[in-house]
Amino acid sequence: MSKLQELGEFAAEMGTIALTVGVDMTEGLEKCKPIVAEQVRLNFETAGTQEGGWPARQGNRGHRTLIESGALMAAATGEGPGHIERIENGNELVWGVTTGVQQGGIPGAAVHQYGATIRPVKAQFLAFEVDGKKIFAKEVTIPPRPYLVIGEEAKEKIADVLADALIEEIG
């Protein structure tokens, strides 16, 4: 069983618990925001997760496109444009990155998180350069490099914060 969990899945699980006991967990969720931000920052800084590093890029050039501008990390940690962060119904913390450019988002955010197969739209081939050589391809598969995941240690911290908040609410 994986020790990592996507933030959305974890938030839904915590939200279900809050709904079950019928309390507003807004204050507790507010206290969880720095824990989530730190976990996401750690995922970027270690170029991976607690379960392993992100797959190497072609030509073994590291993860330059994922981190070079800092925009995706800033958005994902809540420090830049494109960040999504809200508490819904007093029981769910929504955290992520918008891909909508009009909203200041990061267009490749979902591709990095989930992976994708890119195919040409208006041409027969994709064209790009790798190590100074022009490459043509009918498609390119980009493996997932998840950054919006929560590890076991952060889950435990969040569970402690929410348990304390729950006791305070029902106490």
Side-chain angles (χ1 to χ4, degrees), residues 5-126:
Q5 189 171 19
E6 289 230 2
L7 286 174
E9 295 168 356
F10 182 67
E13 191 177 302
M14 294 294 106
T16 300
I17 293 168
L19 279 175
T20 302
V21 295
V23 298
D24 186 315
M25 296 297 292
T26 300
E27 282 187 46
L29 290 170
E30 286 289 340
K31 293 176 183 175
C32 292
K33 289 178 180 181
I35 300 168
V36 174
E38 184 54 34
Q39 173 68 70
V40 173
R41 182 181 336 284
L42 184 63
N43 294 339
F44 277 94
E45 289 174 355
T46 62
T49 63
Q50 291 174 341
E51 292 192 345
W54 291 326
R57 288 183 58 224
Q58 191 170 29
N60 200 21
R61 296 179 296 160
H63 303 286
R64 193 174 53 83
T65 57
L66 191 60
I67 61 174
E68 73 182 352
S69 75
L72 181 56
M73 181 174 158
T77 58
E79 298 172 359
H83 179 65
I84 297 171
E85 177 184 312
R86 64 185 176 275
I87 295 175
E88 293 183 348
N89 305 317
N91 68 355
E92 183 177 356
L93 173 60
V94 177
W95 189 283
V97 176
T98 183
T99 58
V101 177
Q102 292 82 4
Q103 294 81 31
I106 312 293
V111 171
H112 289 300
Q113 177 71 17
Y114 303 109
T117 298
I118 311 295
R119 294 179 183 92
V121 176
K122 296 181 181 180
Q124 191 173 5
F125 295 98
L126 296 168

Side-chain angles (χ1 to χ4, degrees), residues 57-58 61 64 127-136:
R57 288 183 58 224
Q58 191 170 29
R61 296 179 296 160
R64 193 174 53 83
F128 51 95
E129 202 171 296
V130 175
D131 297 329
K133 297 177 186 171
K134 201 138 185 130
I135 306 287
F136 297 94

